[in-house]
Amino acid sequence: MTTYSVDEFLSRTKQQITSTDSFALQSERILEVNLDGEIWSKMGSMISYQGTIRFERERILEHGLGRAFKKSFTSEGQELMKATGNGRLFLADQGKRITILELGNQQITVNGNDLLAFEPTVEWDIEMMRKMAGLMSGGLFNVTLNGRGKVAITTYFEPLTLEVTPDQPVHTDPTATVAWSGDLKPEFHTDISYRTFLGKGSGESIQMKFTGSGFVIVQPGFEVE
């Protein structure tokens, strides 16, 4: 056990001077948002703020009737929070590691549980994965993001990015799958056998298969269904 004096502790844990970028990392697990306007974030992710910031729950028709229907169709739709004002906003999600991505007019699809925040310039929509209905309780909904702007995603520990090529598909466990590039469309496979019921069987019975050209981001921890 390490013991610090008060001054040593303050020195080691005090707020760092970061850049003026809209999104920056105070640490691997804390996102700092230099807010001047508004951003969208995962409900319940605010841990602190400085300045004048107002928080609003996403209204039912905030993003159109189509998305409202998708969210009401199942409880899996991720609820969002809008932060408006000026100041520094600090976000986190259960101590998960945070990665900031600049989309640059590219498209990615992110597991709803792993989406922490995104700038208002980013276009997004909820993707319903109907083939998963009845197979597992989670993972039915993902969020597709595209356009320009920053997106913050979270992972349990360090993420791993796997390249998908036409001659080298990638198979993943749905609960370990964080995100994938926009050109990929996963297929779902089941392998119900005697072996499925041995051990934990977290990903043996249901797998995601990615074919084509692109990338898949996975994490070494698992989302709890």
Side-chain angles (χ1 to χ4, degrees):
M1 182 179 67
T2 304
T3 302
Y4 302 105
S5 69
V6 173
D7 289 342
E8 288 173 335
F9 179 78
L10 293 177
S11 176
R12 293 176 65 91
T13 61
K14 69 180 180 181
Q15 178 181 333
Q16 301 298 311
I17 302 300
T18 58
S19 69
T20 57
D21 289 346
S22 57
F23 284 11
L25 293 180
Q26 271 291 319
S27 71
E28 291 184 344
R29 305 177 193 282
I30 298 177
L31 175 70
E32 177 183 333
V33 179
N34 291 304
L35 186 62
D36 183 16
E38 69 178 45
I39 62 108
W40 288 95
S41 66
K42 187 174 184 178
M43 178 65 70
S45 61
M46 187 276 287
I47 60 171
S48 182
Y49 69 89
Q50 300 167 326
T52 304
I53 301 176
R54 184 175 70 256
F55 301 94
E56 297 178 80
R57 183 186 299 268
E58 179 189 17
R59 296 189 297 273
I60 293 178
L61 297 179
E62 180 94 24
H63 293 105
L65 183 60
R67 289 182 207 171
F69 171 77
K70 293 176 186 178
K71 291 173 70 66
S72 64
F73 189 77
T74 177
S75 61
E76 191 66 23
Q78 179 59 56
E79 194 166 11
L80 297 175
M81 170 181 70
K82 179 167 66 174
T84 306
N86 292 273
R88 290 188 174 185
L89 171 62
F90 300 93
L91 304 174
D93 185 14
Q94 301 183 51
K96 295 166 68 175
R97 181 173 178 148
I98 300 169
T99 300
I100 301 172
L101 302 175
E102 174 64 63
L103 288 187
N105 279 329
Q106 298 187 56
Q107 177 176 298
I108 62 169
T109 300
V110 182
N111 183 310
N113 288 326
D114 301 317
L115 179 61
L116 179 62
F118 56 91
E119 293 184 297
T121 55
V122 174
E123 298 179 3
W124 65 278
D125 198 3
I126 296 173
E127 183 176 345
M128 301 176 67
M129 310 196 78
R130 295 180 179 86
K131 291 184 178 180
M132 288 296 288
L135 296 180
M136 61 185 300
S137 58
L140 292 175
F141 276 69
N142 297 290
V143 183
T144 300
L145 307 109
N146 61 78
R148 288 191 173 276
K150 291 183 174 62
V151 174
I153 64 174
T154 60
T155 56
Y156 288 107
F157 310 105
E158 294 75 15
L160 172 66
T161 300
L162 302 170
E163 183 180 7
V164 181
T165 62
D167 61 344
Q168 188 65 54
V170 171
H171 296 78
T172 66
D173 185 314
T175 60
T177 306
V178 176
W180 56 90
S181 53
D183 293 336
L184 299 181
K185 297 295 182 183
E187 299 177 1
F188 294 93
H189 296 266
T190 58
D191 180 18
I192 306 300
S193 65
Y194 177 74
R195 293 182 179 181
T196 301
F197 300 99
L198 299 179
K200 294 183 178 180
S202 63
E204 293 83 353
S205 59
I206 303 173
Q207 300 171 358
M208 299 176 76
K209 180 181 180 181
F210 295 88
T211 57
S213 298
F215 63 85
V216 180
I217 303 172
V218 294
Q219 58 187 346
F222 296 96
E223 295 289 356
V224 178
E225 299 174 16

